[in-house]
Amino acid sequence: MNRTALFAFAVFVFGSGSVRAGADEGMWLFNNLPLETLKNRFGFEPDAAWSEHLMKSCVRFNVGGSASFVSSDGLVLTNHHVGSDTLFKLSTPERNILENGYLARSNAEELPAPDLELNQLLNIVDVTDRVNAAVKADMAAGAAMLARRETIEAIQKEALDQSGLRSDVVTLYGGGRYHLYQYKKYTDVRLVWAPESATAFMGGDADNFEYPRYCLDACIFRVYENGQPAKIEHFLKWSQAGPAEDELVFVAGNPGRTSRILTVDALKYQRDVRMPFVMNLLRRREICLQQFGLNGPEAKRRARDELFGIQNSRKAYTGMLGGLQNPAIMAAKTAAEARLRAQLKADPKLAALDSAWDEIEAVVAQRPDLLVKTPVVNSRLFEIAEEIVQMLEEDQKPSGQRLPEYGDAGRESLLQQLLSDAPIYADLETALLADSLARLAELRGGNDPMVEAVLAGQSPADRAASAVAGCTLADVAARKALIDGGIAGLSSCKDPMIQIAIAIDPEIRKYRKVADELAERERQAYAKIAEAQFATAGASTYPDATFTLRLAFGTVKAYDENGQRVEPLTDIAGAFNHQDTHPGQDDFQLPRSWNDAKGRIDGATPYNFVTTCDIIGGNSGSPCVNQNLEVVGLIFDGNIQSLTADYVYTDEQSRAVCVHSSAIREALRTIYNASHIAEQLGR
């Protein structure tokens, strides 16, 4: 990392209230936008109406990812890979939508998603004082955690009852602030158009997180209300030309998680313990899914969606770990942390805040054991069984005393997922469960009492086969009957997957309790660090990402890599050239629809482009807009240099990768004969 990047990193650690000159860092809260920075650097002053319109034009996918309204009659634009969960669930052996794409010629042909929930943010309220008032200074971590949890659930339930909106209290600045986010939910969501995976993910794993790119990673849904396309007030217009090089653009989306506030001790734990542990798990699952896919074309189809997610995560973690293994990054973090702590110690009013780092060091020391011992089972049938077991047990408590995911405020969304009729494949479940049980035995030992109870005298493979064969939970009616039967019916349930969940649940709860108490200690410590940053550098900075709506800004900008200039835009002609220079490699071959339309396509149409906007996982599907709030692009990836963004951002080489708005429109009109959809965009 060069000196400029190190300086950018050091500036962030001090929690600067304004972005350094030339830096496009920041995932900004919509109720705390960097207005002065935008005015000083770009001469642009967005007003309250501008930010409200953009905020309400955005939606969040509950499966992870971002999107936006792009028409007055409910069209929603997102990535193919964000929509892939739904595309997979809508696919059958006879109609592989995930692989071959889909086009609805009319509203009647739009396919209902089985369990998709979209969230439109309508309101943000600061509830910090009320949440903090629940925690007394003399409380132990466990009591503080329960008091905070009960207060948060009460706030959420009150807000839900008063407004009818989904209401989530979000922890910001590591615990320094708490905001209530209120969303309108759309649960009648239907697929309108998706291209083939061959063009959405052209280049496959080799091109993933690379640039230049040539991907049509886009798909379109529509939200319905009362059986009709929803009438949408706030939606984004469509740019006629897209962005020019060096043009100011904005990305509005839901970045999943960043860890830029972490202390040096916490980063060392991530580098040396957690991330290697997670990467080993990802590699294992990747091999399991690859081996399963070798059983034939249908097995390959069934494994494909999860395999893509695992491979994507594995490559992302590789980049993040590589960043933390860079001594320059750790040296910059160490030096900046030392300077901040010296500032605190030199000020009697702030000196007490310095204890936060010692507390985090103590917490981090307990995490490795927790990481290894917490049971993790990768199986949809097991997840359903565990959720039912836990929900029925938690329902015996007042809402505020339950585990947060089982509180009354979130019950509707929980049941929508739990009672989804999405297909579950017994052969894939058996393979995944067998691998998970084998790993559980490896980590805890074959003579571990929980392992013995789970295996019930069988090998992991045999236990998985018998449990899946005897499980009734693939049937939604069976799940509902079990839920309706309550806690009394649970004890007499003979379903083998429920029995496995009952055997594992005490251990999950045991280590969940430890983890929650450690998280509370961390939350209190990071709240002090946030207070230190506010005190030394001002409060007008951005918090770490929390899968809530944020605004990033930047420009369409080239960069240098290995001494060569990387141009900011590619074009559609380049996609055909990319295919031709990789003969015989399936991941680089465009689908038949593209090759058949080659003579009709305008090859000069811009295809993909990069910006300096600060993004992370979860931003996939975010609209990229210009100052006039017109869609100019669709975020779908970052380049390899962006993978350190979980911990550090610099705009020197880090780039967000977008599908160009013109490419989406050109493809709809010329390749997919979908002018009826193209004409709706932005209207």
Side-chain angles (χ1 to χ4, degrees):
M1 179 176 284
N2 60 36
R3 293 179 65 186
T4 302
L6 288 176
F7 176 70
F9 187 56
V11 167
F12 170 75
V13 174
F14 278 113
S16 64
S18 61
V19 183
R20 70 172 174 86
D24 296 338
E25 179 183 329
M27 301 173 181
W28 298 90
L29 300 172
F30 266 75
N31 54 341
N32 188 24
L33 295 180
L35 301 178
E36 185 177 347
T37 298
L38 291 171
K39 178 181 178 181
N40 292 340
R41 287 190 54 201
F42 301 103
F44 178 59
E45 298 182 68
D47 58 18
W50 187 94
S51 58
E52 180 188 12
H53 182 71
L54 180 55
M55 181 182 84
K56 292 180 178 179
S57 296
C58 294
V59 290
R60 183 179 68 178
F61 271 56
N62 67 329
V63 294
S66 303
S68 59
F69 290 122
V70 290
S71 80
S72 60
D73 57 355
L75 287 184
V76 174
L77 176 69
T78 190
N79 291 144
H80 184 280
H81 79 264
V82 171
S84 66
D85 178 75
T86 296
L87 303 182
F88 172 71
K89 291 171 180 175
L90 291 173
S91 294
T92 65
E94 297 75 30
R95 186 177 67 175
N96 190 344
I97 291 174
L98 180 61
E99 190 77 19
N100 300 324
Y102 183 78
L103 173 64
R105 294 291 178 187
S106 66
N107 290 148
E109 293 184 0
E110 294 173 2
L111 302 178
D115 52 18
L116 188 58
E117 176 182 307
L118 302 189
N119 302 139
Q120 177 194 26
L121 180 61
L122 298 182
N123 193 34
I124 305 172
V125 180
D126 190 332
V127 294
T128 304
D129 291 343
R130 183 174 173 187
V131 173
N132 285 343
V135 179
K136 309 305 179 185
D138 59 349
M139 281 183 172
M145 178 266 294
L146 292 174
R148 195 185 305 275
R149 177 182 292 173
E150 188 167 3
T151 300
I152 287 174
E153 172 61 19
I155 293 171
Q156 293 176 160
K157 186 63 166 63
E158 289 170 12
L160 172 64
D161 291 343
Q162 291 170 5
S163 66
L165 301 174
R166 173 172 177 159
S167 300
D168 301 333
V169 172
V170 179
T171 302
L172 301 168
Y173 301 100
R177 298 286 186 275
Y178 294 88
H179 289 178
L180 173 67
Y181 279 59
Q182 295 183 280
Y183 301 91
K184 180 173 182 177
K185 295 195 306 183
Y186 292 91
T187 54
D188 186 351
V189 186
R190 308 185 191 185
L191 176 64
V192 176
W193 166 75
E196 306 90 337
S197 60
T199 184
F201 194 48
M202 187 184 191
D205 191 47
D207 273 6
N208 196 20
F209 297 114
E210 301 290 346
Y211 197 76
R213 294 291 291 277
Y214 305 92
C215 295
L216 190 66
D217 194 350
C219 67
I220 295 175
F221 292 84
R222 194 189 306 273
V223 295
Y224 279 68
E225 290 186 295
N226 302 317
Q228 299 296 321
K231 299 302 180 184
I232 303 300
E233 177 184 359
H234 295 278
F235 64 93
L236 299 173
K237 300 295 185 180
W238 200 266
S239 170
Q240 291 302 308
E245 185 172 357
D246 297 321
E247 181 177 346
L248 172 65
V249 293
F250 300 87
V251 171
N254 299 273
R257 182 185 64 85
T258 54
S259 303
R260 297 176 187 178
I261 199 173
L262 291 189
T263 67
V264 170
D265 287 314
L267 287 175
K268 288 178 179 178
Y269 163 72
Q270 293 288 329
R271 180 193 65 191
D272 300 335
V273 180
R274 180 181 175 274
M275 294 186 74
F277 181 87
V278 172
M279 287 186 65
N280 285 336
L281 173 60
L282 291 172
R283 293 187 190 107
R284 178 174 184 139
R285 288 186 182 173
E286 184 176 2
I287 292 171
C288 177
L289 289 164
Q290 287 173 332
Q291 291 297 308
F292 178 83
L294 295 176
N295 290 323
E298 175 58 13
K300 184 178 180 180
R301 182 192 73 80
R302 294 179 179 186
R304 187 186 184 282
D305 184 51
E306 185 167 353
L307 178 60
F308 169 81
I310 293 294
Q311 290 176 325
N312 189 67
S313 295
R314 183 254 305 153
K315 193 164 186 180
Y317 267 88
T318 300
M320 288 188 286
L321 181 58
L324 289 183
Q325 290 173 337
N326 184 337
I329 288 180
M330 295 302 289
K333 176 68 176 180
T334 301
E337 185 175 288
R339 288 192 293 270
L340 178 56
R341 296 186 72 179
Q343 278 186 283
L344 299 180
K345 291 174 182 177
D347 187 338
K349 295 180 180 179
L350 302 177
L353 299 176
D354 184 65
S355 64
W357 281 266
D358 298 328
E359 176 69 355
I360 291 171
E361 181 182 10
V363 168
V364 165
Q366 299 182 56
R367 289 209 174 276
D369 185 61
L370 191 65
L371 189 66
V372 173
K373 290 185 176 179
T374 301
V376 176
V377 178
N378 180 35
S379 155
R380 179 57 186 149
L381 288 174
F382 174 81
E383 290 171 0
I384 291 170
E386 178 65 14
E387 284 185 338
I388 291 174
V389 167
Q390 288 198 339
M391 183 177 70
L392 294 179
E393 291 180 359
E394 291 297 296
D395 281 351
Q396 307 310 302
K397 309 172 187 175
S399 180
Q401 296 177 21
R402 300 174 197 160
L403 294 173
E405 58 267 34
Y406 300 110
D408 290 342
R411 180 55 55 97
E412 185 177 315
S413 294
L414 172 65
L415 289 178
Q416 184 197 18
Q417 293 296 306
L418 196 51
L419 298 177
S420 166
D421 61 359
I424 297 174
Y425 300 105
D427 52 355
L428 179 58
E429 286 291 300
T430 301
L432 293 173
L433 183 60
D435 185 65
S436 290
L437 296 181
R439 181 174 178 272
L440 202 61
E442 292 169 18
L443 290 175
R444 296 177 66 105
N447 293 328
D448 179 86
M450 187 203 71
V451 172
E452 290 182 338
V454 168
L455 294 181
Q458 297 178 290
S459 70
D462 289 342
R463 180 58 168 151
S466 63
V468 172
C471 183
T472 63
L473 300 179
D475 180 8
V476 176
R479 291 177 226 163
K480 189 173 187 308
L482 191 55
I483 292 169
D484 292 343
I487 194 70
L490 190 63
S491 58
S492 60
C493 181
K494 302 302 181 184
D495 188 292
M497 202 66 71
I498 291 290
Q499 292 174 344
I500 291 176
I502 290 173
I504 292 180
D505 188 54
E507 289 293 283
I508 291 177
R509 288 178 177 274
K510 172 184 174 181
Y511 290 106
R512 168 74 178 267
K513 183 175 184 294
V514 176
D516 285 348
E517 291 180 1
L518 291 178
E520 175 61 29
R521 291 170 60 186
E522 273 189 328
R523 186 179 294 111
Q524 294 184 28
Y526 279 117
K528 291 182 179 180
I529 292 176
E531 186 179 344
Q533 292 179 340
F534 297 153
T536 57
S540 58
T541 187
Y542 66 93
D544 271 315
T546 52
F547 196 45
T548 51
L549 191 64
R550 304 291 182 88
L551 183 72
F553 66 85
T555 57
V556 177
K557 191 174 182 180
Y559 62 99
D560 291 332
E561 184 175 26
N562 299 324
Q564 300 293 319
R565 174 182 164 92
V566 179
E567 296 296 335
L569 290 96
T570 64
D571 58 28
I572 287 181
F576 289 98
N577 183 63
H578 205 45
Q579 172 183 248
D580 295 343
T581 55
H582 294 83
Q585 295 178 254
D586 289 344
D587 285 340
F588 293 86
Q589 301 310 299
L590 289 164
R592 179 176 178 178
S593 62
W594 278 66
N595 285 305
D596 287 349
K598 184 177 180 180
R600 303 191 303 272
I601 299 171
D602 180 358
T605 303
Y607 196 2
N608 293 166
F609 68 92
V610 290
T611 84
T612 58
C613 295
D614 188 1
I615 67 160
I616 198 74
N619 271 118
S620 292
S622 299
C624 183
V625 302
N626 59 22
Q627 296 180 41
N628 297 322
L629 295 182
E630 298 170 327
V631 174
V632 298
L634 176 67
I635 292 287
F636 75 93
D637 205 358
N639 64 357
I640 198 72
Q641 292 88 348
S642 73
L643 290 179
T644 59
D646 198 37
Y647 305 103
V648 54
Y649 172 85
T650 169
D651 61 11
E652 184 172 352
Q653 288 184 309
S654 182
R655 294 292 184 271
V657 186
C658 307
V659 187
H660 198 283
S661 57
S662 297
I664 297 171
R665 188 175 53 206
E666 173 72 7
L668 285 169
R669 289 173 172 169
T670 308
I671 300 173
Y672 297 102
N673 297 316
S675 292
H676 63 293
I677 298 173
E679 295 307 314
Q680 296 177 55
L681 296 176
R683 299 182 178 179

